[in-house]
Amino acid sequence: NYVYMSHAYCISLSSTFRGAPLADKLYRWHTGYPGGLKQRKAADMLERKPEEILKKAILGMMRRTNQRHKYIEPRLKIYAGEDHPHKAQLPDGVQGLPPHPRSRSGDHHFGLGDKYASEGSYQKGAGQSD
């Protein structure tokens, strides 16, 4: 299962991140080299890589476990614009399944066929008629 998000540039950020203004919020990372601590303000991140703000927010709410690193992170796909390489679930020309009968709508028969499709007749027992 994958999660696809598009239009990351449209996110509306409030003027504060936990009390810090948008211009004061810093995103920090380390390159791995000595003295390689880098930082960028949230306003700059929103202009350059809006998908990274969402990714950091989503992954920051999860525990750092093997499930997050091996399963969830590779399956989270965030795109800044509306263009992405993924197609719709149903290609053009394919009909979707009919809606599932629900008990609240009153048209449920639990798959017993038209003989028992009238409401309440399934409770009278199989093979018995009115």
Side-chain angles (χ1 to χ4, degrees):
N1 296 337
Y2 288 81
V3 175
Y4 301 109
M5 295 177 69
S6 61
H7 301 292
Y9 68 91
C10 293
I11 59 173
S12 68
L13 299 174
S14 63
S15 61
T16 60
F17 282 97
R18 289 189 171 212
L22 186 62
D24 294 340
K25 170 69 177 169
L26 295 175
Y27 287 96
R28 294 186 174 129
W29 68 96
H30 201 281
T31 63
Y33 289 98
L37 182 64
K38 303 283 185 178
Q39 65 184 14
R40 188 169 291 144
K41 293 184 179 182
D44 296 334
M45 285 285 284
L46 190 58
E47 290 176 14
R48 296 179 80 177
K49 295 183 178 180
E51 63 273 4
E52 286 297 317
I53 291 179
L54 282 176
K55 187 172 185 179
K56 286 179 178 283
I58 292 168
L59 295 177
M61 290 185 271
M62 305 177 76
R63 292 179 181 239
R64 291 174 180 91
T65 61
N66 286 340
Q67 183 180 13
R68 174 187 150 175
H69 295 301
K70 293 180 182 177
Y71 186 78
I72 296 174
E73 282 184 29
R75 289 168 172 80
L76 178 62
K77 309 289 184 185
I78 303 175
Y79 300 99
E82 61 185 38
D83 297 330
H84 55 82
H86 309 287
K87 294 184 179 179
Q89 298 295 323
L90 287 177
D92 294 334
V94 176
Q95 264 189 338
L97 294 174
H100 190 279
R102 303 286 182 208
S103 62
R104 290 185 181 171
S105 63
D107 60 348
H108 61 288
H109 54 81
F110 301 106
L112 299 175
D114 293 334
K115 183 176 180 183
Y116 302 103
S118 63
E119 188 172 350
S121 63
Y122 60 89
Q123 296 173 348
K124 295 178 183 175
Q128 295 179 1
S129 61
D130 293 332

mmCIF file of all heavy atoms in Angstrom, residues 69 77 106:
data_model
loop_
_atom_site.group_PDB
_atom_site.id
_atom_site.type_symbol
_atom_site.label_atom_id
_atom_site.label_comp_id
_atom_site.label_asym_id
_atom_site.label_seq_id
_atom_site.Cartn_x
_atom_site.Cartn_y
_atom_site.Cartn_z
ATOM 1 N N HIS A 69 11.203 2.856 8.992
ATOM 2 C CA HIS A 69 12.333 2.987 8.073
ATOM 3 C C HIS A 69 12.203 2.090 6.849
ATOM 4 O O HIS A 69 12.538 2.495 5.741
ATOM 5 C CB HIS A 69 13.639 2.686 8.796
ATOM 6 C CG HIS A 69 13.956 3.673 9.877
ATOM 7 N ND1 HIS A 69 14.110 5.019 9.634
ATOM 8 C CD2 HIS A 69 14.129 3.526 11.209
ATOM 9 C CE1 HIS A 69 14.385 5.646 10.766
ATOM 10 N NE2 HIS A 69 14.383 4.762 11.739
ATOM 11 N N LYS A 77 4.836 8.874 -0.869
ATOM 12 C CA LYS A 77 5.213 9.620 -2.078
ATOM 13 C C LYS A 77 4.530 10.981 -2.042
ATOM 14 O O LYS A 77 3.306 11.064 -2.056
ATOM 15 C CB LYS A 77 4.776 8.874 -3.345
ATOM 16 C CG LYS A 77 5.212 7.422 -3.400
ATOM 17 C CD LYS A 77 6.683 7.304 -3.602
ATOM 18 C CE LYS A 77 7.050 5.835 -3.753
ATOM 19 N NZ LYS A 77 8.455 5.635 -3.832
ATOM 20 N N GLY A 106 -31.039 0.089 4.163
ATOM 21 C CA GLY A 106 -32.218 -0.767 4.096
ATOM 22 C C GLY A 106 -32.237 -1.718 2.917
ATOM 23 O O GLY A 106 -33.163 -2.491 2.776
#
